Amino acid sequence: MKLLSTASLLLCSGIITAATAKPSPKSDCSKVSFRLPISVQNTAFSSPPDPNNETEIVDFVTSTFSGNLAPTNGTQLIDETFTINAIYCKPLKHASKKRSAAILQILVHGITYNKDMWSGLGLGEQYNWPAAANAEGYHTLAIDRIGHGFEKNAQYPDPLNVVQGAVHVESVHQLIKAVRSSGRKNVLDTRFDKIIYVGHSYGSFVGTALAGLYPSDVDALVLTGWSTSISTTTGGAIPFRSAALLDPSRFRSRALGYVTVTEESSRETAFFYGRYDRTVAQRDFELEDTTTDGESATILDIASVPPVGYKGRVFVATGTNDALFCEPPAETCASLLEATRQFFPGAVEFGYYMPLETGHCLTLHYTAPETFRGVHEWLRRFF
Ligand SMILES: *[C@@H]1O[C@H](CO)[C@@H](O)[C@H](O)[C@H]1NC(C)=O
Ligand SMILES: *[C@@H]1O[C@H](CO)[C@@H](O)[C@H](O)[C@H]1NC(C)=O
């Protein structure tokens, strides 16, 4: 099909407060780990920061998040087996929709987050994506990207040379291979024929790059906290430090190339806006994860190439006041989101949802239930 369907612009109105969110029955969730072989050509840098010098690392990260290219010197082969930790949640027994075939949503977090963001950092059911998806009959798998999370078996490989965009894309590809099969590597015990990729922010970049390299891996891309219009001004203004030096009790085992946001106020300014609970923003800072110099320096590699061969469906969900990916007023943001459909010339369907008065980490805002509803009303039309 050549024609793209009309985007569904679902503007939300009215005030939703945390108190109005209905308590949902407990999901059926368990921790799982995949062991995945990764063989990929990563980028080699010709003037990398000294791995033992925080100043050089932070300058390098800030420069690349500001949109500057780090000089490269060819590629380097990464050929290793990595562990991907995840939380797998099954649909509720009395889900509103029964499906003949199992459908899996794979949830991939952004920078300085891990898989816990999808369940709202434990701060309430109204922020819980898996709970909303499980109630609709979908299975969910929220992963820790390599180098992230706090599980006992988490790996923190070389931040510059290993933890790069290409490794993340390849690990999701291998994960999808596993869950589409009935083989030993599929620890979910269910073979999934349909996969919906859900990304937030950097996780959305990983999704578009995956769709470009492996166009038939997923049936739909749901890209949240994302657009093709990236504010490098906001990105470059986020203050970073080496996580192990900022907070040794939480990040002791990380090399200095694992960096994170230094101040609560800066994090709040970059990630929150308008309709949210300030105590959520505080917890969001206390529970923050990391990003790496390798991720920041390879962002453009995975973010800038349109997935021209991808013929699946695309849905974008981004807040009007997302300081990194949109711009108020609503009409301006809407036109930016509308324009992202050009990034997917082969997509069979495109739609978007734009929560009002909402910042970058949209699922930690009061509008989260509206966003969950907007996404699932669209998904329900096809899956
Ligand atoms: C580029 O890589 C080659 C091969 O690893 C190495 O010999 C050379 O010194 C590197 N050049 C720079 C400028 O880093
Ligand atoms: C770290 O790098 C900065 C900038 O290159 C340099 O000025 C400083 O002396 C270095 N610190 C150490 C301890 O090497």
Side-chain angles (χ1 to χ4, degrees):
M1 282 232 316
K2 265 213 182 108
L3 284 179
L4 302 173
S5 82
T6 314
S8 40
L9 170 56
L10 308 162
L11 287 174
C12 43
S13 59
I15 310 288
I16 296 260
T17 66
T20 63
K22 285 195 202 73
S24 54
K26 279 254 178 299
S27 301
D28 179 3
C29 298
S30 52
K31 287 188 178 180
V32 291
S33 292
F34 294 81
R35 291 282 293 159
L36 301 169
I38 310 296
S39 183
V40 69
Q41 293 291 345
N42 261 3
T43 300
F45 298 97
S46 48
S47 30
D50 174 350
N52 298 310
N53 185 319
E54 185 191 25
T55 308
E56 285 196 11
I57 289 166
V58 168
D59 287 351
F60 181 86
V61 167
T62 302
S63 167
T64 48
F65 276 140
S66 304
N68 300 309
L69 292 171
T72 61
N73 179 20
T75 60
Q76 51 187 336
L77 177 69
I78 305 297
D79 191 7
E80 270 182 75
T81 297
F82 288 104
T83 298
I84 290 274
N85 292 309
I87 297 181
Y88 172 52
C89 300
K90 293 179 186 174
L92 298 179
K93 291 238 159 47
H94 34 271
S96 60
K97 183 159 177 184
K98 302 281 179 237
R99 292 185 167 76
S100 50
I103 305 176
L104 181 67
Q105 294 185 6
I106 298 178
L107 313 177
V108 184
H109 63 83
I111 66 162
T112 70
Y113 281 101
N114 56 48
K115 62 183 176 327
D116 297 341
M117 67 147 285
W118 294 107
S119 51
L121 307 171
L123 297 172
E125 284 297 280
Q126 69 270 34
Y127 306 120
N128 193 326
W129 183 300
N134 300 156
E136 292 276 340
Y138 299 101
H139 300 243
T140 57
L141 183 72
I143 68 167
D144 281 335
R145 285 190 285 103
I146 290 166
H148 293 75
F150 291 87
E151 300 298 337
K152 284 203 172 61
N153 61 345
Q155 293 166 290
Y156 307 107
D158 182 319
L160 181 74
N161 295 302
V162 177
V163 189
Q164 295 187 8
V167 160
H168 294 312
V169 172
E170 189 61 24
S171 62
V172 177
H173 172 64
Q174 292 299 331
L175 177 76
I176 289 170
K177 252 171 80 173
V179 300
R180 280 190 185 278
S181 82
S182 50
R184 191 170 45 83
K185 286 207 189 76
N186 183 359
V187 297
L188 304 186
D189 267 346
T190 303
R191 202 175 64 78
F192 289 95
D193 288 325
K194 289 239 181 303
I195 308 271
I196 296 167
Y197 181 101
V198 183
H200 175 242
S201 193
Y202 183 94
S204 296
F205 293 152
V206 173
T208 61
L210 176 78
L213 268 180
Y214 304 108
S216 54
D217 264 14
V218 304
D219 300 282
L221 287 172
V222 175
L223 307 170
T224 75
W226 177 87
S227 74
T228 46
S229 163
I230 307 160
S231 169
T232 49
T233 313
T234 303
I238 299 175
F240 288 102
R241 271 203 72 186
S242 293
L245 300 178
L246 179 73
D247 189 346
S249 63
R250 296 186 68 228
F251 298 109
R252 191 175 298 109
S253 47
R254 269 58 145 205
L256 297 188
Y258 285 83
V259 301
T260 194
V261 183
T262 56
E263 294 157 23
E264 184 189 327
S265 59
S266 309
R267 190 175 175 91
E268 192 169 341
T269 304
F271 291 174
F272 288 83
Y273 184 87
R275 297 162 64 185
Y276 67 95
D277 178 346
R278 283 227 53 221
T279 60
V280 170
Q282 283 158 14
R283 284 302 281 159
D284 182 65
F285 177 68
E286 287 161 11
L287 296 172
E288 68 178 354
D289 205 285
T290 60
T291 183
T292 73
D293 42 9
E295 285 175 352
S296 71
T298 55
I299 271 196
L300 287 175
D301 299 351
I302 63 166
S304 60
V305 186
V308 289
Y310 177 67
K311 296 189 173 62
R313 299 183 162 91
V314 179
F315 193 75
V316 176
T318 299
T320 46
N321 296 77
D322 187 322
L324 287 153
F325 291 97
C326 232
E327 205 180 299
E331 300 71 45
T332 307
C333 181
S335 62
L336 286 174
L337 299 186
E338 178 64 42
T340 64
R341 70 161 62 200
Q342 291 157 24
F343 201 61
F344 309 94
V348 67
E349 294 282 344
F350 174 88
Y352 65 92
Y353 184 83
M354 184 180 68
L356 300 177
E357 300 286 304
T358 298
H360 182 55
C361 61
L362 66 172
T363 59
L364 294 174
H365 285 63
Y366 288 145
T367 51
E370 299 166 33
T371 300
F372 299 154
R373 208 176 310 129
V375 169
H376 287 97
E377 274 172 8
W378 187 82
L379 285 176
R380 223 186 284 140
R381 290 164 51 195
F382 315 108
F383 302 100

